[in-house]
Amino acid sequence: MDCGIITSKTVLLLLSLIFWAAGVAIAYVGSYVIRSYNNFEDFVADKYSLVPAAIIIGVAVVMFVIGTVGCCATLRESKVGLGFFLLIIMVIFAAEVTAFVFGFIYRGRIKGDLEKSMSDVFQKYDGLNTESHAVDYLQSQLQCCGVQNYTDWTATPWYGQHNNSVPHSCCKANTTQCSGLFNQPELLNTQGCESELEQMLQDVLSYAMLVILGFAIIKLFGMLSICVITCRSKKNDYQPLYA
């Protein structure tokens, strides 16, 4: 049996396994991005920011199908299956490029979206409503206070209605004497939340885009491999891997 044919088929089978593994990895990245944004959805006005993550999840599902089709097409010596395999890879490649472009575009819009939406949410803070829970979660998780800094609370209704104090979520972790008053700045997180949240979302998107780019490159090599196998099979009889 032609060593080149054996090698080509083996590479294609390995590529199918890579698609399965990549599907798991991409599904994890997509779900991680969605979880990260859902935790702070009240501060993100542009709901289309989740489009890249949604595309990633869809790509992961299709990649499981691709791996199955690729494996079966190789073992059954199906030229039709290999052609379908190539077509699906091309569609996935296009989807990943689209997700990458969406992510790149949105990275530049994060700051502007956050500035206005965060100010609106902080103004609605009363300690009880859903906006309040979102603000408390944000400030405690990112260890921040206010939008730009902790003095932003002086412009909110909460500050005047509660003895000129900030919410206890502004207090530093493991502090028991913090009252939220400005005369205890050493007990408060003074860094604003906008920069912290912007950096976190930028990091999440960058991570997702890096993964997308890596798997897009794998798809490119996959398309080239199928083309090579198809061209070889036209010159030689397509021989089973298990012959």
Side-chain angles (χ1 to χ4, degrees):
M1 184 177 179
D2 189 345
C3 182
I5 294 296
I6 295 177
T7 302
S8 297
K9 291 182 181 181
T10 302
V11 168
L12 193 55
L13 288 175
L14 289 176
L15 188 60
S16 298
L17 294 176
I18 289 175
F19 277 119
W20 285 328
V24 174
I26 288 181
Y28 172 78
V29 171
S31 61
Y32 176 72
V33 172
I34 291 175
R35 287 198 308 271
S36 298
Y37 274 81
N38 283 342
N39 288 336
F40 307 106
E41 61 181 349
D42 291 302
F43 306 105
V44 183
D46 188 357
K47 301 306 179 183
Y48 289 103
S49 61
L50 288 177
V51 169
I55 293 177
I56 292 174
I57 296 295
V59 167
V61 173
V62 178
M63 286 185 70
F64 283 108
V65 177
I66 289 178
T68 302
V69 171
C71 183
C72 292
T74 302
L75 294 177
R76 293 176 178 274
E77 310 174 9
S78 173
K79 294 182 181 179
V80 175
L82 288 173
F84 185 62
F85 193 20
L86 177 61
L87 178 61
I88 294 179
I89 292 177
M90 292 175 65
V91 172
I92 289 291
F93 180 78
E96 288 178 333
V97 171
T98 301
F100 184 85
V101 171
F102 264 105
F104 184 80
I105 293 174
Y106 186 70
R107 283 184 78 249
R109 299 174 53 186
I110 289 178
K111 183 175 179 61
D113 289 340
L114 286 179
E115 187 171 355
K116 183 179 185 305
S117 61
M118 288 186 70
S119 296
D120 292 342
V121 173
F122 273 74
Q123 285 294 325
K124 296 177 181 177
Y125 187 94
D126 65 4
L128 299 173
N129 57 23
T130 56
E131 288 85 357
S132 300
H133 295 315
V135 169
D136 287 335
Y137 181 82
L138 173 73
Q139 293 189 147
S140 60
Q141 289 296 310
L142 300 186
Q143 298 183 17
C144 57
C145 185
V147 180
Q148 301 297 332
N149 56 62
Y150 75 113
T151 61
D152 290 338
W153 280 102
T154 60
T156 64
W158 168 274
Y159 182 78
Q161 297 168 1
H162 293 79
N163 196 30
N164 296 338
S165 65
V166 298
H168 286 284
S169 56
C170 281
C171 296
K172 292 182 178 179
N174 302 320
T175 55
T176 58
Q177 303 300 320
C178 179
S179 63
L181 295 174
F182 277 20
N183 60 3
Q184 300 175 312
E186 70 280 0
L187 300 180
L188 298 174
N189 294 310
T190 57
Q191 176 71 31
C193 295
E194 181 186 338
S195 59
E196 296 292 327
L197 182 56
E198 178 187 355
Q199 185 60 53
M200 190 205 76
L201 296 180
Q202 291 276 9
D203 291 343
V204 169
L205 268 181
S206 297
Y207 172 58
M209 290 170 63
L210 183 62
V211 173
I212 291 172
L213 180 61
F215 285 120
I217 293 175
I218 292 176
K219 304 299 186 306
L220 182 61
F221 280 107
M223 290 186 286
L224 293 175
S225 298
I226 293 175
C227 291
V228 169
I229 293 174
T230 303
C231 291
R232 288 291 299 274
S233 66
K234 289 180 180 179
K235 298 179 180 179
N236 306 283
D237 291 330
Y238 197 86
Q239 303 181 40
L241 180 64
Y242 41 78

